[in-house]
Amino acid sequence: MNEDIMLVSEASDVERAVFYKKTYLHVAMAILSFIVVEGFLLRAVPEELILQMISGKFIWLFIIGLFWLGSMLADKLAFSVSRNTQYLGLGLFVLLEAIIFLPILYIALVMTDSGAIVQQAAVITLFMFGGLTAVVFMTKKDFSFLRSALVIGGFVALGLIVAGAIFGFNLGLWFSVAMVALAAGSILYQTSEIKNKYATGQYVGAALQLFSSVMLLFWYILRILMSRRD
């Protein structure tokens, strides 16, 4: 059977193992690519431009809009029939994440010369991601019931972020905590979907979805750690 048609849930143990290996390998590749691209941007983008991204609310709104549109395009490309197009979608999303993370990572690196706070956020994120993934695979529970809550929570969060950018108010620590919970729920949901509803040939698209949630989790864990240094 064609791997782009056969569901992971209906595949043999060997075929499922291959799919999971490819999916998480691509997540790791996306994270490594993000690190490389982010390192280049931090060195290549002028400091004045980064500071404008931080202070200019309309520039920030433009970036959010660009990220939203680009994410939709990347998601569509990642589930294309063409494997090359799928990789194009994943690569585009990695680039967008690197751009959106540029201001916050610049601030974090300025706060700690060694970048310790970034390393702490990365370690916490990876441990949480590993733990949440283990929950799905070990309990074999179907987390598809989280979809409605995640959709509603996502729209509410986006509205608050846009309102905060326009009117200049700080969303605060509890918003970051709520977003960590939202990202954790997204990882549970997407991992469950990967097990039950994806085809064995959709490992690039699956990797994009997981990478997206991992980066959302990393963003708000980093914000929480940074708020403790204020």
Side-chain angles (χ1 to χ4, degrees), residues 167-230:
F167 299 109
F169 60 83
N170 190 346
L171 294 172
L173 175 62
W174 288 110
F175 178 78
S176 295
V177 172
M179 290 303 294
V180 167
L182 184 71
S186 180
I187 291 171
L188 290 173
Y189 169 75
Q190 288 168 358
T191 306
S192 180
E193 291 292 286
I194 286 169
K195 285 183 58 183
N196 300 318
K197 296 185 179 179
Y198 276 57
T200 53
Q202 293 181 309
Y203 49 85
V204 178
L208 187 152
Q209 298 294 332
L210 290 174
F211 174 70
S212 172
S213 293
V214 168
M215 297 311 291
L216 179 65
L217 183 63
F218 176 53
W219 174 282
Y220 283 100
I221 288 176
L222 183 57
R223 287 201 57 162
I224 290 172
L225 294 180
M226 288 171 63
S227 68
R228 297 173 59 190
R229 299 293 185 95
D230 293 343

Side-chain angles (χ1 to χ4, degrees), residues 102-121:
L102 186 57
I104 192 172
L105 285 177
Y106 172 81
I107 296 173
L109 292 171
V110 168
M111 291 173 62
T112 55
D113 294 335
S114 62
I117 197 169
V118 177
Q119 296 172 15
Q120 293 169 10

Side-chain angles (χ1 to χ4, degrees), residues 58-80:
F58 293 111
I59 293 177
W60 190 237
L61 285 174
F62 172 76
I63 292 172
I64 292 174
L66 178 65
F67 178 75
W68 181 67
L69 291 173
S71 298
M72 292 179 61
L73 175 61
D75 186 63
K76 184 176 181 179
L77 292 175
F79 287 98
S80 169

